[in-house]
Amino acid sequence: MTISVQAPGAAQGMTVVARTQSQMVRRRFFRHRAALAGMVVFGGVVLLAFTSIGFGPVPGWWDKTYLATGSLVNQGRPTLSVVPAFLGGQGIHLGEHPFGQDNIGIDYFALTMRGAQQSIIVAFIVGFVATTVGTIAGAFAGYFRKITESIIMRLTDVMITIPILIIAAIVGRAFGDSGIVILAICIGLVTWPTLGRLIRGEFLSLREKEFVEAARAVGTSAGRIIFRHILPNTVGVIIVSATLAVANAVLLESALSFLGVGVQPPDVSLGQLIDTYRSAMTTRPWLFWWPGVFIIAIALSINFIGDGLRDAFDPRQTRVRA
């Protein structure tokens, strides 16, 4: 329900309306143009990657796979054309191999789509695991304090001092052959400390609030206070951090695959494609460009979404113009 209220701004012809917190969050987010653009781009990439070549038992609309080899057509050059004929181009069409072909004739569009699928899956699993572990660890450290906080915070201090790429590379080397799900879970288990520290800070502030003291006074258990009273008040920080963790995971997975300790053959990822064809950047640059374009598109779009969520959950923005 929207209720009109009088405010100082009304004297200048501006109407201010009172809305619920969820209404204000949605309104601020959908007014964030970069976030909306990020949603469109990321949704388009996900839709293209998972519908084109299919996923699992579900077939796609593209008639080639990332495993089938064939003869090179026009030296493997891309057949994609985006310049209309009236502008002197070849018209708008995909052609037989829109992204070209690799060294052994595999359709590079199918390879890139498979790489995008794997990178997106790994990123979301890493984001989910890191967010879950970081939230629980930060909540327990911030609420219970004393020995619990000391143990968790010393662990996070040690993990933060070691470059995350080194830790992830060691994990990737140990679990890279176990499949992308195991690899992603293991990476998620070593990338949670930053979020854990953020959640701890939120809990240190909220545990002293009156509603928490009232819950303790009536004998509410610690678990209920944590998960039913304090944690819902940190949802903004958690959502924004989770979004940024997914974006960072895309880049981390690409870096690991580029170093050869991420997704292992015969499967592919975007970073692995860049590593495989980096030597072809001067002779057949499209083999290097396409995976790079998709990595940038995924990471940037998720970061824009995260920026929009951060602004939407900003508690300092309490009023929205009509």
Side-chain angles (χ1 to χ4, degrees), residues 33-107:
R33 295 181 180 178
L36 292 181
M39 287 185 64
V40 171
V41 171
F42 182 69
V45 170
V46 172
L47 191 64
L48 181 64
F50 284 90
T51 63
S52 57
I53 62 172
F55 185 73
V58 181
W61 48 264
W62 190 243
D63 60 350
K64 299 175 181 64
T65 71
Y66 68 97
L67 296 174
T69 60
S71 58
L72 288 177
V73 178
N74 192 24
Q75 298 180 338
R77 296 180 180 277
T79 60
L80 176 67
S81 176
V82 295
V83 181
F86 67 86
L87 293 178
Q90 300 178 354
I92 300 176
H93 63 271
L94 292 177
E96 186 177 357
H97 301 287
F99 288 6
Q101 294 172 280
D102 71 353
N103 298 333
I104 57 177
I106 297 178
D107 180 66

Side-chain angles (χ1 to χ4, degrees), residues 106-125:
I106 297 178
D107 180 66
Y108 208 60
F109 176 78
L111 267 178
T112 304
M113 293 302 101
R114 178 61 178 179
Q117 286 182 2
Q118 299 299 82
S119 296
I120 291 171
I121 291 172
V122 170
F124 273 92
I125 294 177

Side-chain angles (χ1 to χ4, degrees), residues 5-212:
V5 297
Q6 294 296 321
Q12 301 177 3
M14 182 181 69
T15 302
V16 179
V17 296
R19 294 183 173 89
T20 65
Q21 180 65 24
S22 61
Q23 286 176 325
M24 289 191 294
V25 168
R26 287 196 301 269
R27 191 175 179 86
R28 287 196 293 263
F29 179 78
F30 285 111
R31 286 190 171 188
H32 197 291
R33 295 181 180 178
L36 292 181
M39 287 185 64
V40 171
V41 171
F42 182 69
V45 170
V46 172
L47 191 64
L48 181 64
F50 284 90
T51 63
S52 57
I53 62 172
F55 185 73
V58 181
W61 48 264
W62 190 243
D63 60 350
K64 299 175 181 64
T65 71
Y66 68 97
L67 296 174
T69 60
S71 58
L72 288 177
V73 178
N74 192 24
Q75 298 180 338
R77 296 180 180 277
T79 60
L80 176 67
S81 176
V82 295
V83 181
F86 67 86
L87 293 178
Q90 300 178 354
I92 300 176
H93 63 271
L94 292 177
E96 186 177 357
H97 301 287
F99 288 6
Q101 294 172 280
D102 71 353
N103 298 333
I104 57 177
I106 297 178
D107 180 66
Y108 208 60
F109 176 78
L111 267 178
T112 304
M113 293 302 101
R114 178 61 178 179
Q117 286 182 2
Q118 299 299 82
S119 296
I120 291 171
I121 291 172
V122 170
F124 273 92
I125 294 177
V126 170
F128 175 78
V129 173
T131 300
T132 302
V133 176
T135 299
I136 294 175
F140 278 68
Y143 184 81
F144 291 110
R145 305 294 302 274
K146 298 182 180 178
I147 186 66
T148 302
E149 181 184 26
S150 297
I151 294 174
I152 295 176
M153 286 300 100
R154 297 299 77 75
L155 177 61
T156 60
D157 291 340
V158 171
M159 296 180 68
I160 287 176
T161 55
I162 304 175
I164 189 62
L165 189 59
I166 295 178
I167 301 177
I170 296 173
V171 171
R173 174 66 68 182
F175 298 97
D177 295 328
S178 303
I180 62 168
V181 174
I182 301 300
L183 172 65
I185 291 174
C186 293
I187 294 175
L189 290 175
V190 299
T191 55
W192 59 266
T194 301
L195 176 60
R197 294 175 70 92
L198 287 174
I199 298 300
R200 168 182 169 269
E202 292 292 315
F203 266 71
L204 288 176
S205 174
L206 292 171
R207 73 189 299 271
E208 306 300 333
K209 298 294 184 181
E210 290 80 1
F211 68 91
V212 177

